[in-house]
Amino acid sequence: MRKNLGIIPALFPMPVTIVAAYDEAGVVNPMNAAWAMISDMDKIALFIDEDHKTTKNIRQTKAFTVSIADAAHMDVADFFGIATGNKMSDKFARSGYHAEKSAFVNAPIITEFPVTLECELAEIVETENLHAIVGKIVNVSADESVLSENGKIDPKKLNALIFDQFQSGYYTIGEQVGKAWNAGKDLMK
């Protein structure tokens, strides 16, 4: 039997991403944003509202990075979601983490997170029902520790966090259970 739960954001899993941009003084400002999605092969959309300090910084610098949070750095990833740059100017410094400037865009790469998408601001979409920051991905950098033998990101090694909006929990992915563009091919016959 099914039970009606009403209107809830019932999509799972959601990636835990850390969006970072420089503020007007060149200070690193990160935020935890689970509402992100790849849009085409070279774009990412962040569904974050105008009130975030990070949004204001992205508008100013026209660039940002999106790092994939992993289980080894869950505490700081969560802190970046709890603390707001609008009220805590030293949020990044307080984490004790490190950043280096991207060679491709005017945005910081937080070195502790193993995978980072480096993005130029493509557009900000503002409608009655949507506020999205769209970035053009100009580079993806990854720590060698999360790469497979073929040089691609290995999900098992990455141990990425996923966010559960149902219970407000963090999880990691499990074992691979199939191969995309293959698991359903017998139904094509």
Side-chain angles (χ1 to χ4, degrees):
M1 172 181 277
R2 296 178 71 87
K3 181 178 178 184
N4 292 325
L5 300 177
I7 300 170
I8 59 173
L11 189 59
F12 178 83
M14 297 184 72
V16 177
T17 64
I18 305 301
V19 180
Y22 291 120
D23 72 7
E24 60 280 350
V27 174
V28 176
N29 178 250
M31 72 173 283
N32 180 321
W35 293 21
M37 177 60 73
I38 291 297
S39 172
D40 209 353
M41 292 300 288
D42 67 343
K43 292 181 188 61
I44 186 167
L46 309 173
F47 301 99
I48 58 177
D49 66 36
E50 193 66 39
D51 296 336
H52 292 289
K53 173 77 169 147
T54 306
T55 301
K56 295 170 190 166
N57 294 338
I58 291 169
R59 278 190 181 276
Q60 182 177 5
T61 62
K62 309 287 189 237
F64 59 96
T65 57
V66 180
S67 296
I68 299 174
D70 60 336
H73 302 98
M74 179 176 57
D75 57 345
V76 172
D78 190 58
F79 168 70
F80 287 159
I82 296 169
T84 172
N86 288 322
K87 296 180 181 175
M88 186 183 293
S89 61
D90 68 342
K91 177 165 87 166
F92 184 71
R94 195 178 291 202
S95 74
Y97 277 21
H98 307 90
E100 58 187 39
K101 186 177 185 300
S102 164
F104 297 90
V105 297
N106 182 26
I109 295 173
I110 301 172
T111 58
E112 284 77 4
F113 295 112
V115 176
T116 302
L117 290 73
E118 301 163 59
C119 306
E120 295 174 344
L121 177 63
E123 69 177 314
I124 296 179
V125 180
E126 297 175 283
T127 70
E128 179 182 341
N129 297 304
L130 178 72
H131 188 278
I133 295 171
V134 180
K136 179 175 177 21
I137 302 166
V138 298
N139 187 54
V140 176
S141 59
D143 189 279
E144 290 181 1
S145 67
V146 300
L147 299 180
S148 64
E149 290 178 8
N150 66 3
K152 294 183 179 182
I153 297 166
D154 183 332
K156 290 181 194 173
K157 290 180 178 181
L158 176 58
N159 207 19
L161 289 178
I162 52 179
F163 176 61
D164 150 38
Q165 293 195 103
F166 306 117
Q167 305 291 325
S168 298
Y170 292 121
Y171 296 83
T172 58
I173 63 168
E175 293 297 312
Q176 180 179 1
V177 296
K179 198 79 169 139
W181 297 283
N182 184 303
K185 74 178 184 177
D186 286 345
L187 295 170
M188 295 296 292
K189 296 176 184 173

